[in-house]
Amino acid sequence: MRAEIKVSGIVQGVGFRPFIYRTAVKNGLVGYVRNRGDAVVEIVAEGNRDKINQFLKDLQKEKPSLAQIYSTTTDTKKEEEGFNEFKIIKSSGEAKLSGSVIPPDVSICGECLRELRDPQNRRFNYFFNTCTDCGPRYTIIKGLPYDRPNTTMQEFPMCDSCAKEYGDPANRRFHAQTVACPDCGPKAYLTSNKGEPIDCGDPIRETGRLLHEGNIVAIKGNGGFHVAAATTKTEPVARLRKDKHRKQKPFAIMAPDLETVKSFAEVNPWEAELLTSYRKPIILLKKSSKYFLSDLVSPELHSVGTMLPYTGLHAMLFDEIKEPAFVMTSANPPSEPIVTDNKEAISKLGSTVDYFLFHNRQIAQRCDDSVVRFHDKDPCLIRRSRGYAPEPVLLKQVSDRCVLALGGELNVTSCTLTGNRAFISQHIGDVENLENLRFLKDSVTHLTRLTNCNVEAVACDLHPRFTTTKLAQELASRFVCPVVQVQHHHAHAAALMAEWNVPEIVAVTCDGFGYGSDGSAWGGEVLYTNRECFRRTAHLEGQPMVGGDLAAYHPLRMAAGVLHKQLDVTEWLLSLSNKFPHGRKEAELIVKQLEKGSAPVTTSCGRVLDAVSAMLGICYMRTYEGEPAMKLESTAINGKDVLNLAPKVKGNVLDTTVLVHEIFSNKDKICAADLACSAQSYLARGLAELAIEEAMRLQVKHIGFSGGVAYNEYITATIRKTVEKEGFRFLVHNKIPAGDGGTSFGQAIVAGFQKH
Ligand SMILES: [Zn+2]
Ligand SMILES: [Zn+2]
Ligand SMILES: [Zn+2]
């Protein structure tokens, strides 16, 4: 009999066809397997019924570790075509179905790493050693099907030895599109910061030595450039901070192995598992008591973003030197995407770095490192990018239209929803300038093409002036389809609802800013949402942002605005004149602004945390997103809720003035750690109470927490404790980011499932 089988899922680029070949031959079947242009794998197998059934069982049970099967369809017929053998045949260009996709980049596997270390192996020291189980995927793919001519490996014709392995079904590199060796594959080379070649036998280990000596080197990877420096010396990190215009923002680091990581950070078993997994994200680990890296790596924070080597090149950097870790920060000029082109690197990074370590393979898709933080055993994705994107998030429900969603303004990702699969793009960044907007457009084009998505609606934020809102209108007229604008916190809540497949939810959504349905600034919200609609049921008290957006950058302004309601803060503000960029003049101007009293109002939870951070002298100026609140959390780690303030609720509004005043009046009596903790506790308990009240009234079983503030471990744990005590199920994100990187997914959900 004849079986025609179609398999969709992550089945291209993961050694699936060789696996099918081996399994078919093992079961004595004849026929063929091929990749299709729509990312489906098509199998025709002929043989007796038992053998075919066994084959189908093996297919599910023994599939390659990176493969994920979402669905298989099997048609059986009596008539056979009469093949002589089983073959892997040329891919077909067929592209009708949508929704299957190539895998994310996979870090180097143990076997490839072992070969790289083996002097007898012909790939000894080959920095780009890969096989069907490992190597870049998304970052090298220009189109589907995933075959060598559709990747940036096409410029490297295989040598005879590689071609033999590629064609041998018994070989680990059978049809591995990234197969290469020192003779035929990409090469690495070192240059000065002007791009002049530097002659050295071993450019990668030489780079390790240069870093060890205190130099700054830009290193080209799979998805972009990193800027690297030693972590035990202050000088290079200080120089990097000056040149990168990053006064305080923490740098990610790369350590050679888990043992070394444990010498400076605490690693729980779940963190260890993900650190060493094939995804290899940056994990924000707690600094240990023995932390000995430069204070400039992650200033005034309790955590340090750490990852392990994910290519052979990275592993080799550490070979001949003793460095516990290197700074490995994405090489992007302020608010621009990560640099990918060699020439562009020299012009944009040449003044920052001392050397370049290049290789000569092009980057098809840029992709930053992913960032994850754990709350005990729960992973919270801060940035979902390399190692994750574009692997889809599977939904229980099927969307009846294909949606493209563009996110908001900060930490943007795009999302393509088709059927029950949501493909979230790699991290794009803050779309305020042309370069990042171009990056967003490119990734949208790439992803809609890879997924064969016929866009039927474009979703975006409610904010009328966001760049992404304008882009949505542009794209909608190109696709001739409607635009669906989704309120920011509604998107957060809908994302949570879809991730957990619950029909309705009361969600606490807290962040820095989202454009509210009434046009005002929101950010400390309790929402009810189901698949049809959402309602804002409660929120934090509105507080003035003295000087508008300036209040987000100089949180003393926020504090002054709240305190001014009941106190004369003139003297206090003037005493802190030196904390403002324009000194006393600015402090005096703020006093005038307070008296005038016409500041815009925000219900943002982030802004309240900022105000507390400034009053406690923890952070007076925000140099990166979330800085005052993150430093507040780090301070609070060793504190207790000594104030234990009862949440003051008026109607459906949680009073924050009382909190700010209590902190202010106790700041000289109680230590900053205890007050920081008390402030977090008040907000968490207050918001939880509001959510519980609403959930009881509506008889909703699930209460969730989303938005950037949900990265705060203490606040999340406190809300959890409070709502679980009342018998509700508490939901947080663990597949998509709680912050704004997850809003494109939420927008897609709203546009895909609401009635239209
Ligand atoms: Zn491998
Ligand atoms: Zn070769
Ligand atoms: Zn948000």
Side-chain angles (χ1 to χ4, degrees), residues 488-489 492 510-514 707-708 738-740 743:
H488 186 85
H489 303 96
H492 278 306
C510 291
D511 52 19
F513 167 75
D740 289 357
T743 54

Side-chain angles (χ1 to χ4, degrees), residues 662-697:
E662 282 293 328
I663 301 291
F664 185 78
S665 60
N666 283 296
K667 70 182 168 42
D668 300 322
K669 294 173 226 155
I670 300 174
C671 72
D674 286 348
L675 288 178
C677 182
S678 303
Q680 293 183 155
S681 171
Y682 176 85
L683 290 168
R685 288 181 288 118
L687 287 160
E689 272 181 31
L690 290 172
I692 289 167
E693 195 177 305
E694 192 60 23
M696 280 179 171
R697 203 173 64 77

Side-chain angles (χ1 to χ4, degrees), residues 108-109 111-112 129-134 172:
I108 186 167
C109 73
E111 187 59 14
C112 286
N129 192 17
T130 62
C131 67
T132 44
D133 291 334
C134 75
R172 198 171 100 247

